[in-house]
Amino acid sequence: MSRVSAAAWALAPAAAAILGVGLAWATGFSQRMVLPGVVEARFYGFFLDRYPLFAAAILYGLAALLVTMIRPGPGRPVRRLAGGAVAVAMLLVAGLYPTFGGPTLRSGFATGGVAFLNGQTMTVAYGLGAASAAFVFGLALGFGGLLMAGTVRRGGGWGRWLLAAGGRVLVRYLSLWFALAVLGLAHTAGLGAWPRRPLTGGEAALAAALVLLAFLPHSALAWLDNRARHRPPSGAVA
């Protein structure tokens, strides 16, 4: 895989999330738009009002899983397709069940709220809430990747491999923590009243910039992983 193609695979999920922001602006999407009753009841509500850019996180996660399904990799096509279908379902549950935000935003809101009520500052409570939300979101995203993996590449013994794998998981988690923390500051950064009204051009540009900033670290880690994935392995086990 060339460096250009590796970068393209890594940046595709962020591009999909930014495209989603662009489509919301171009179509004038807002809560004024009438949706089917079942969809409207499950999508519109408190969490969409408070954390609207989490919608971009869902798009990012779905696109990341799709990239894992279709890019060249060690897993067989059938395994990637079957595992990918389960992974997509898990991510949708994590982000949208029973309504928008799912267990991801609910866990973050509950954790941050309890921390604040127990005397933590708003900044600390927000950080703890973002950490909790990132754990749920990352669990769904990471487990989906494991479902589609066909082999475990190991070099230097199991101890070294487990240490390296743990380090990768920790760094990926921290990057998602950063991402959800940035996305949660959308209104503070000046996003305005969206989704209660359509996005303006300036708000759409701001939202796109926030999405790019949020997911740039995670995309960079995916790029590094893509490069490492295609190096000749020093050892592999099925």
Side-chain angles (χ1 to χ4, degrees):
M1 178 182 292
S2 69
R3 292 183 179 180
V4 174
S5 62
W9 285 119
L11 291 173
I18 293 172
L19 178 60
V21 172
L23 288 175
W25 169 72
T27 60
F29 176 81
S30 72
Q31 291 186 8
R32 299 175 185 176
M33 185 176 292
V34 178
L35 298 176
V38 175
V39 177
E40 189 171 284
R42 291 184 175 275
F43 192 67
Y44 294 157
F46 171 79
F47 286 105
L48 181 63
D49 286 341
R50 184 65 184 84
Y51 307 105
L53 288 186
F54 182 65
I58 295 174
L59 290 176
Y60 180 90
L62 292 174
L65 292 175
L66 180 61
V67 164
T68 304
M69 290 172 65
I70 65 176
R71 75 183 178 193
R76 295 183 178 181
V78 173
R79 183 190 182 104
R80 293 205 303 269
L81 288 174
V86 175
V88 166
M90 290 178 56
L91 188 69
L92 290 176
V93 168
L96 295 173
Y97 182 81
T99 60
F100 180 84
T104 300
L105 292 189
R106 282 163 175 77
S107 68
F109 189 78
T111 301
V114 169
F116 182 72
L117 291 175
N118 285 333
Q120 299 296 330
T121 65
M122 182 61 75
T123 300
V124 171
Y126 181 80
L128 291 173
S132 179
F135 178 80
V136 176
F137 189 77
L139 192 64
L141 196 60
F143 189 68
L146 288 177
L147 287 174
M148 290 179 276
T151 59
V152 176
R153 295 180 59 180
R154 178 174 60 87
W158 281 107
R160 178 178 294 182
W161 180 84
L162 288 172
L163 184 62
R168 287 195 298 271
V169 169
L170 176 60
V171 173
R172 288 290 187 101
Y173 166 70
L174 291 176
S175 70
L176 288 177
W177 184 6
F178 173 80
L180 294 188
V182 169
L183 296 180
L185 294 174
H187 287 308
T188 303
L191 187 61
W194 187 76
R196 292 187 176 274
R197 58 158 175 77
L199 282 167
T200 66
E203 289 169 348
L206 172 63
L210 287 173
V211 170
L212 178 61
L213 172 64
F215 288 113
L216 198 57
H218 195 265
S219 297
L221 291 173
W223 174 63
L224 292 174
D225 185 58
N226 285 344
R227 292 184 63 188
R229 189 186 302 274
H230 290 83
R231 291 173 185 165
S234 58
V237 295

